Amino acid sequence: MVNNSSSSRSSRIGWWKQRELGFLIVYVIVFYVIIIRRSLQLSHDYYNRLHGLRPGWLRHDLLNDVSDAQWRNFRANIPVLTLVFGIFTLVANVLRAFFHLKASGMSTIWLLFSLIYLLYLHGACIIFVLSIASVNFLLVKMFAQRRYFSLAIWSYNIFFLLCNRVYEGYSFSIFGQQWAYLDNFRGTFRWQICFNLVILRMISFGYDYHWAHQDSHFDQKKHLQRCYICKSGKTCYKFLQESPLQDDKFAFKIYLCYLVYAPLYIAGPILTFNAFASQLDVPQSSNSVRNVASYGLRWVFSLLLMELMTHLFFYNAFAISGLWKQLSPADVFIIGYGVLNFMWLKFFLIWRYFRFWSLISGIEAPENMPKCVNNSYNLQSFWKNWHASFNKWLVRYMYIPLGGSQKNLLNVWVIFTFVAIWHDLEWKLLSWAWLTCIFFFPELIIKSAAKAFKAESALGEFVFRELSAAAGAMTITFLMVANLVGFVIGPSGIKWLASGFLQKEGLPILAGMFLSFYVGTKLMFLIEDVKQSDASLDRQRY
């Protein structure tokens, strides 16, 4: 039995890849030992010159890096959010079970809870949210079956996306001095920030209603034959998303409930209207109670990991203090790498927290961070696994309507420009978007060449794999640069970053970075080989 298992693993990886794997693992261990030791040293040496550090709770002599405002606010509000969502979900689930409620009844309950939640968050500004949403509903109903539906829905939503930010959520006084007193009741959270997600939901509702009146291209029978989740008697998210709904599900009450559904309102993840309304009718069944409980427990362990990280490594404090600009190229790389990992874990915790409460309430949303940030070696894979629900939304409502893969080179510019504007009206975000588009071109060319290339020998396969690993290392470097420019240093920092690494002291560090990313890419290749082999075995079982 042991020999069979061993031979099975050997056949999945290959004997020469197994030998390579040993070297790769040793390299990765050494790499992270160096990163961790130097990070600890930097945090110890510079803590008295950093901003945003507070007394920690793990040990009396340790400080905690709470310099990131988004993380600091979320972390501080976890107790009250847990209490509120605990009450909401308990009452909603009891009422659903006792009265056997379907979509109409559940939308009434969740709309009531969500409006109470919004009144606390936004105060009188809830008027803006409901007014813009109501007009959007009327536009969808009026133009859904017209040829220029797309023009109408996109123009309306982009107009308010821009106006909300330009006028910073508006002032009631601009509608007359008699309304100026309402500016004293604007709540605790800026409504225009949350409304970016509402805009995505308004567009989703519009297109799902528009497509419900057209012939569906979704082959339900073929999907049911291929999907192992649906085969097991459950219903997968894709089936819920692609299956058209009856007209009664597109009622105003269900629409409003979808826009302001409390567990997902602040941060998402984003799910389509079809999937939401279907699960209001019949709660999600693909995640058992045991799986949801395990999901919540893993979140707690991830939170403890974040606390440990922010008590030991002050990556974000270095970035916001600007102190890392005085460090050596090697230390700049370590801080930059640490900041990106901090950002990933921050969003991982925020998104999974709200998704957890949605799952308890019977609504499954896509997972936003299905893969670790250190397990992506190409741009397409990275964006599929970073804010993955937004990526799914972009593919469904922008990429495919714009022409899909047939117009790849044009699509990426339109989509990433929209993504930048959707986040905020800042030059550094536009710089991030356009840098990402530029970096997409080499990847698209390499992918096209890869499809045309057929390895006819072991040597050919080896050469192709090495070139692919080198391309992966370049892509990871580009991703680091683009994200640091977009979310940390801004476009003005590009010159400083380039000058630091392209001088005599920085070139060896740049070479070491490339080698490390190359090794990491090779390791990811081996992981994918095993996963593909396991997936093939699973398909054979079914």
Side-chain angles (χ1 to χ4, degrees):
M1 181 66 71
V2 174
N3 290 336
N4 288 340
S5 176
S6 178
S7 63
S8 175
R9 284 194 296 270
S10 298
S11 62
R12 284 188 291 172
I13 301 177
W15 68 269
W16 64 274
K17 292 179 183 177
Q18 282 186 314
R19 294 185 178 183
E20 182 185 47
L21 180 62
F23 165 76
L24 297 178
I25 291 174
V26 170
Y27 187 97
V28 168
I29 291 172
V30 172
F31 173 81
Y32 279 110
V33 166
I34 294 172
I35 293 288
I36 291 170
R37 287 188 63 184
R38 187 55 185 161
S39 297
L40 289 170
Q41 188 65 48
L42 287 169
S43 298
H44 177 268
D45 291 346
Y46 291 93
Y47 73 91
N48 57 346
R49 297 172 60 188
L50 299 175
H51 306 307
L53 303 184
R54 300 289 184 271
W57 60 270
L58 286 181
R59 213 172 66 190
H60 74 278
D61 59 334
L62 284 179
L63 295 173
N64 188 15
D65 183 356
V66 288
S67 57
D68 183 88
Q70 189 178 36
W71 171 247
R72 183 173 63 249
N73 293 334
F74 172 73
R75 180 177 178 270
N77 285 293
I78 288 175
V80 68
L81 284 171
T82 302
L83 177 64
V84 169
F85 287 137
I87 294 171
F88 282 177
T89 53
L90 176 63
V91 174
N93 287 340
V94 168
L95 291 175
R96 185 201 290 268
F98 189 79
F99 293 105
H100 305 288
L101 298 176
K102 296 294 184 181
S104 179
M106 288 307 298
S107 64
T108 301
I109 292 169
W110 272 113
L111 182 57
L112 176 63
F113 288 161
S114 300
L115 291 177
I116 294 170
Y117 184 53
L118 262 67
L119 277 171
Y120 168 74
L121 290 176
H122 306 320
C125 294
I126 193 175
I127 295 170
F128 296 129
V129 176
L130 297 179
S131 299
I132 297 171
S134 299
V135 174
N136 182 76
F137 180 82
L138 293 175
L139 284 174
V140 169
K141 292 290 184 175
M142 289 170 58
F143 295 106
Q145 300 184 55
R146 305 286 180 89
R147 291 179 59 185
Y148 42 87
F149 164 77
S150 292
L151 177 63
I153 195 75
W154 278 104
S155 298
Y156 178 80
N157 281 278
I158 290 179
F159 173 78
F160 277 104
L161 177 66
L162 298 175
C163 285
N164 292 350
R165 289 306 179 93
V166 170
Y167 295 100
E168 297 183 350
Y170 315 107
S171 169
F172 283 99
S173 60
I174 65 175
F175 302 102
Q177 286 303 310
Q178 66 270 31
W179 304 109
Y181 73 96
L182 291 175
D183 286 320
N184 298 318
F185 305 96
R186 298 187 70 90
T188 60
F189 201 88
R190 291 177 296 167
W191 74 273
Q192 67 270 25
I193 303 299
C194 295
F195 202 77
N196 282 16
L197 286 170
V198 175
I199 280 176
L200 301 184
R201 296 179 190 123
M202 292 197 302
I203 293 172
S204 174
F205 171 82
Y207 270 101
D208 285 0
Y209 182 68
H210 172 66
W211 290 329
H213 294 87
Q214 298 179 351
D215 293 334
S216 175
H217 297 290
F218 180 59
D219 192 331
Q220 291 187 354
K221 289 184 178 179
K222 185 180 290 186
H223 174 82
L224 292 171
Q225 290 172 355
R226 294 180 176 180
C227 177
Y228 72 92
I229 295 176
C230 294
K231 277 184 179 180
S232 67
K234 301 175 182 179
T235 306
C236 75
Y237 180 82
K238 184 175 181 180
F239 186 87
L240 295 172
Q241 173 181 276
E242 299 297 337
S243 300
L245 299 171
Q246 298 297 320
D247 266 4
D248 63 314
K249 296 296 189 299
F250 293 95
F252 183 66
K253 180 173 60 175
I254 298 176
Y255 162 74
L256 272 187
C257 179
Y258 168 62
L259 298 189
V260 299
Y261 175 60
L264 303 180
Y265 176 74
I266 289 181
I270 305 155
L271 76 164
T272 66
F273 178 81
N274 279 355
F276 178 81
S278 298
Q279 293 176 95
L280 272 184
D281 222 16
V282 180
Q284 67 88 20
S285 60
S286 57
N287 296 274
S288 65
V289 173
R290 182 178 179 179
N291 287 342
V292 174
S294 174
Y295 187 84
L297 188 61
R298 292 198 306 273
W299 182 87
V300 173
F301 285 130
S302 300
L303 177 63
L304 293 175
L305 176 63
M306 178 61 131
E307 289 297 302
L308 181 64
M309 179 180 178
T310 54
H311 277 76
L312 297 177
F313 312 123
F314 305 148
Y315 296 127
N316 198 71
F318 269 100
I320 69 161
S321 300
L323 193 61
W324 67 331
K325 292 187 178 182
Q326 303 172 22
L327 303 178
S328 67
D331 292 339
V332 168
F333 162 70
I334 289 172
I335 297 299
Y337 183 70
V339 167
L340 293 178
N341 277 272
F342 165 78
M343 287 173 57
W344 178 85
L345 188 53
K346 174 186 74 169
F347 289 124
F348 174 93
L349 285 164
I350 292 172
W351 283 325
R352 288 206 172 189
Y353 177 83
F354 292 114
R355 184 175 184 265
F356 170 72
W357 285 110
S358 185
L359 283 170
I360 293 177
S361 305
I363 304 291
E364 179 189 10
E367 186 67 82
N368 259 344
M369 295 291 202
K371 285 176 68 175
C372 178
V373 66
N374 296 304
N375 192 19
S376 295
Y377 59 84
N378 61 55
L379 289 168
Q380 191 173 27
S381 172
F382 178 83
W383 291 117
K384 279 184 177 180
N385 295 288
W386 181 291
H387 207 168
S389 67
F390 191 19
N391 179 270
K392 292 177 185 293
W393 186 95
L394 291 167
V395 169
R396 179 172 171 81
Y397 300 111
M398 288 191 74
Y399 182 74
I400 294 175
L402 284 171
S405 59
Q406 295 179 352
K407 297 181 180 179
N408 250 337
L409 297 180
L410 174 63
N411 285 346
V412 293
W413 289 94
V414 176
I415 289 171
F416 274 97
T417 300
F418 170 77
V419 170
I421 294 171
W422 179 82
H423 276 93
D424 208 345
L425 292 176
E426 293 185 13
W427 276 114
K428 70 177 184 179
L429 288 171
L430 285 171
S431 302
W432 159 81
W434 295 334
L435 274 173
T436 304
C437 292
I438 291 170
F439 295 156
F440 251 114
F441 282 99
E443 182 169 307
L444 292 173
I445 293 169
I446 290 170
K447 281 191 173 182
S448 299
K451 287 181 180 179
F453 178 80
K454 292 182 180 179
E456 298 180 355
S457 65
L459 178 61
E461 182 185 347
F462 172 79
V463 171
F464 179 72
R465 196 176 184 88
E466 295 303 305
L467 291 174
S468 298
M474 289 181 62
T475 300
I476 295 170
T477 305
F478 292 155
L479 276 169
M480 278 195 68
V481 171
N483 283 289
L484 287 174
V485 168
F487 298 99
V488 182
I489 62 176
S492 61
I494 296 177
K495 184 178 179 181
W496 161 76
L497 198 64
S499 63
F501 283 96
L502 295 180
Q503 61 181 345
K504 186 177 180 181
E505 185 185 357
L507 286 174
I509 304 303
L510 192 62
M513 280 173 51
F514 187 83
L515 176 62
S516 299
F517 294 151
Y518 167 82
V519 169
T521 304
K522 294 292 291 289
L523 194 57
M524 287 182 248
F525 285 169
L526 293 173
I527 292 170
E528 279 196 359
D529 287 344
V530 174
K531 285 184 176 180
Q532 288 177 4
S533 179
D534 289 343
S536 178
L537 290 172
D538 288 339
R539 285 194 296 270
Q540 289 175 15
R541 290 192 191 103
Y542 282 102

